[in-house]
Amino acid sequence: MHADTAVVEQRRVGPYTSRSHRSRYIVILLGLVALAVLLTLLTLGWSNSQEPFSEPWWRITAMRGTSVIVIALVTFCQALATVTFQTVTHNRIITPSIMGFESMYVLVQTGIVYFFGVSGLTNFDSLGRFLLQVGVMVLFAVLLYTWLLSGRFGNLHVMLLVGIIIGTGLGALSTFMQRMLDPNEFDVLTARLFGNVGNANTEYLSLVIPVCAAVGIGIWMLARRLNVIALGSDISQNLGLHHRRQLMLMLTLVAILMAMSTSLVGPMTFLGFLIATLAYSATDTYDHRRILPVAWLLGYVILTGAYFLLRHVFSMVDTVTIIVELIGGAVFLIVILRKGRL
């Protein structure tokens, strides 16, 4: 009788399989929060030779604080967008970036320089250019995913193949226009196309932060629907969820986050995949309300740690995104080789 009672007490229904699983999650979450706070303080205060709390000290701290805010925004967008996208597509390998989403950003930037020259890129209203980039990318993504994930095209492998082909085609068109540019124009354009935290368009933070916060809150409020969507279209519809409507809503939110992140710092192809993959392994749960915060914290710790080391220790700040993308690409290849399938 006592043995049966003990067995019943050990069984759990919910995001955690056992008490030890719950304790491990809490330890990981608190550990990531502590690391994030530590790295933030190090980034803000390291090698600041000015007198503490003086005007020059605050000026340097504010400049570094802007970079910290940009990192937090980029990782927030990448983490939530990638986890949500992989859930609705029922695949933990493909991401919005791999599907050619960022090729549209490259095409928009290249098109401005090609048709209007460098003067068009520099003199064009900065807010207008930013809104144009975001609007075009969101429209492109919504139309593409709506088409590929509906009707007879609602097949994962067809979606992946068509997405890669479209992304490659956009990249080829961008390359063709780039070869027609003057060398000086090409140099200016290349700097724009390189993902770099230090060169982020910080003048748009007052616009990006509220939009990203609203979209992030929306995904958080819909996290339980993501749990249902992960069960598949048949099961989710049997449970009373309008699968197609929720799918399009989630993809639209993903498109907005990716457009904001890419327009802010440029393309970062494998960052989202890296932090999402690590979050799945760390949490080991189906509940997106547990996965999403861990994914964001992991992304923040990775990118802030790389930024701090390569800026203040090795003086190679321009290689931050290169190294992060290299690690993310390596993890991507390892996951594919281990799974042996898409």
Side-chain angles (χ1 to χ4, degrees):
M1 180 69 179
H2 294 290
D4 294 339
T5 303
V7 171
V8 171
E9 289 178 351
Q10 291 177 356
R11 294 176 180 173
R12 288 180 173 270
V13 177
Y16 308 112
T17 57
S18 63
R19 291 181 179 177
S20 61
H21 183 198
R22 181 176 181 274
S23 300
R24 183 171 68 89
Y25 175 84
I26 294 175
V27 169
I28 291 173
L29 185 65
L30 294 178
L32 288 173
V33 171
L35 272 175
V37 172
L38 176 62
L39 288 170
T40 300
L41 294 176
L42 287 174
T43 302
L44 294 176
W46 189 270
S47 298
N48 191 341
S49 58
Q50 302 297 325
E51 182 182 352
F53 307 110
S54 63
E55 183 179 351
W57 186 89
W58 279 114
R59 189 180 302 115
I60 295 174
T61 303
M63 293 173 61
R64 295 180 178 182
T66 302
S67 297
V68 170
I69 294 173
V70 170
I71 291 174
L73 280 174
V74 169
T75 52
F76 179 82
C77 294
Q78 292 280 346
L80 269 65
T82 303
V83 171
T84 303
F85 184 83
Q86 291 181 345
T87 297
V88 299
T89 56
H90 304 287
N91 189 279
R92 291 187 174 182
I93 290 181
I94 61 175
T95 66
S97 298
I98 295 174
M99 289 292 293
F101 183 85
E102 291 170 347
S103 298
M104 179 57 68
Y105 170 82
V106 176
L107 182 62
V108 170
Q109 293 287 328
T110 304
I112 292 176
V113 177
Y114 181 80
F115 290 108
F116 303 104
V118 175
S119 59
L121 189 64
T122 56
N123 297 332
F124 191 85
D125 179 62
S126 58
L127 180 59
R129 186 177 68 248
F130 181 81
L131 294 176
L132 174 64
Q133 290 172 181
V134 172
V136 170
M137 285 189 288
V138 171
L139 180 62
F140 166 76
V142 171
L143 292 178
L144 176 63
Y145 299 143
T146 300
W147 173 50
L148 294 179
L149 291 175
S150 62
R152 62 191 182 92
F153 295 105
N155 179 278
L156 175 63
H157 296 90
V158 172
M159 181 185 69
L160 178 61
L161 179 61
V162 174
I164 292 176
I165 290 174
I166 292 178
T168 303
L170 295 176
L173 180 59
S174 300
T175 303
F176 171 76
M177 289 191 291
Q178 289 169 13
R179 291 194 178 266
M180 305 291 288
L181 297 176
D182 178 86
N184 294 326
E185 294 178 337
F186 180 77
D187 289 341
V188 174
L189 176 63
T190 303
R192 296 271 183 170
L193 300 181
F194 180 72
N196 194 330
V197 174
N199 294 333
N201 297 317
T202 55
E203 62 267 28
Y204 311 129
L205 289 179
S206 59
L207 172 65
V208 174
I209 291 176
V211 173
C212 292
V215 175
I217 292 173
I219 291 178
W220 175 262
M221 298 298 293
L222 299 172
R224 289 192 174 91
R225 298 187 185 183
L226 282 173
N227 297 340
V228 179
I229 292 174
L231 299 175
S233 60
D234 293 337
I235 296 178
S236 61
Q237 288 177 359
N238 288 336
L239 292 174
L241 190 70
H242 195 299
H243 185 266
R244 177 176 169 76
R245 181 186 302 165
Q246 296 301 319
L247 192 69
M248 294 303 105
L249 173 60
M250 296 298 179
L251 288 175
T252 302
L253 297 178
V254 167
I256 295 173
L257 289 177
M258 289 300 299
M260 289 293 172
S261 172
T262 306
S263 298
L264 192 63
V265 299
M268 301 187 72
T269 305
F270 292 108
L271 175 62
F273 174 83
L274 174 63
I275 58 183
T277 301
L278 294 177
Y280 297 140
S281 299
T283 57
D284 191 24
T285 181
Y286 67 87
D287 191 357
H288 286 76
R289 289 200 171 182
R290 271 72 179 181
I291 297 173
L292 292 174
V294 170
W296 181 22
L297 287 171
L298 276 169
Y300 182 80
V301 167
I302 291 172
L303 197 55
T304 306
Y307 182 81
F308 170 75
L309 290 175
L310 296 175
R311 181 179 181 87
H312 299 293
V313 179
F314 300 107
S315 299
M316 300 168 58
V317 66
D318 290 337
T319 63
V320 171
T321 52
I322 296 177
I323 293 177
V324 171
E325 291 291 275
L326 179 62
I327 296 174
V331 173
F332 179 77
L333 292 176
I334 292 171
V335 171
I336 289 182
L337 292 176
R338 288 185 60 186
K339 291 172 67 83
R341 59 182 176 83
L342 293 175

